[in-house]
Amino acid sequence: MRIRKTRVLALIIVVLLIVQTALSFRYTGKDCCGVVGLKVGTWAPASIILLRYGLPDERYVNQETNLRSYTYNDELLFGRKASIEFYMSRFRAYWIRVTILEDPEAVYKIACESIKRANEKLKGFEIRPTDDGCEMGSPLGPPFVNTDLSLLEDRLVIDLTWQR
């Protein structure tokens, strides 16, 4: 009788893990968060990031806060070479930073339009100009969505955050 209960419990755990993995694919796609070429969006589990991108080029763990980051270099976003950093808390990506070095001024315009189209249906969506680019998102939530585009001298930095 005890062996049967153990097997049933093990089977339930396996089924739950399979269902969780299947549900995690909701955060994947070809153009996540409006960034063309981004395979994983914010709130994606760390396991899905590893599945879609493989092992990171750089990995960092803050020992005090247990926050993790994975960095992938030499990715293609908006048809240009870029690096992607995923910052994780509770095994989910809560912040994604994209850095594009090739032709940042041209990509800035394309990125603004693409991200705007992806998020403009959110309630309270707004675009705010900043000193170095623009910020767009929805302060009404949940989810609270924020995208910050910064056009610096030699690169374009896109910060994507979602809070649920």
Side-chain angles (χ1 to χ4, degrees), residues 69-88:
S69 71
Y70 294 161
T71 303
Y72 295 90
N73 301 315
D74 300 325
E75 296 296 325
L76 276 180
L77 301 173
F78 296 108
R80 311 299 197 296
K81 256 182 132 174
S83 71
I84 307 170
E85 296 172 81
F86 295 97
Y87 295 90
M88 285 159 283

Side-chain angles (χ1 to χ4, degrees), residues 24-161:
S24 296
F25 278 99
R26 292 178 296 177
Y27 303 102
T28 66
K30 188 174 78 173
D31 303 328
C32 286
C33 303
V35 177
V36 176
L38 185 61
K39 300 175 191 172
V40 177
T42 49
W43 208 246
S47 59
I48 293 298
I49 295 169
L50 293 172
L51 186 63
R52 294 301 304 257
Y53 283 99
L55 292 176
D57 297 322
E58 299 171 32
R59 189 184 308 207
Y60 174 75
V61 177
N62 185 322
Q63 297 298 325
E64 292 177 13
T65 62
N66 201 27
L67 294 177
R68 301 171 184 276
S69 71
Y70 294 161
T71 303
Y72 295 90
N73 301 315
D74 300 325
E75 296 296 325
L76 276 180
L77 301 173
F78 296 108
R80 311 299 197 296
K81 256 182 132 174
S83 71
I84 307 170
E85 296 172 81
F86 295 97
Y87 295 90
M88 285 159 283
S89 176
R90 295 188 208 138
F91 304 106
R92 289 190 173 271
Y94 72 94
W95 172 23
I96 299 172
R97 172 170 275 177
V98 172
T99 305
I100 299 174
L101 299 170
E102 283 184 37
D103 199 14
E105 289 182 19
V107 177
Y108 175 77
K109 294 173 187 169
I110 297 168
C112 281
E113 280 303 310
S114 181
I115 293 169
K116 179 183 169 191
R117 272 193 313 269
N119 294 313
E120 65 188 353
K121 293 181 181 158
L122 295 170
K123 65 180 178 184
F125 179 77
E126 58 189 24
I127 300 174
R128 297 171 297 281
T130 61
D131 292 339
D132 57 0
C134 73
E135 190 175 301
M136 53 180 94
S138 172
L140 305 174
F144 300 98
V145 178
N146 189 46
T147 303
D148 185 13
L149 289 91
S150 300
L151 184 58
L152 306 173
E153 291 177 12
D154 59 342
R155 66 190 179 277
L156 170 65
V157 178
I158 303 171
D159 287 312
L160 307 159
T161 54

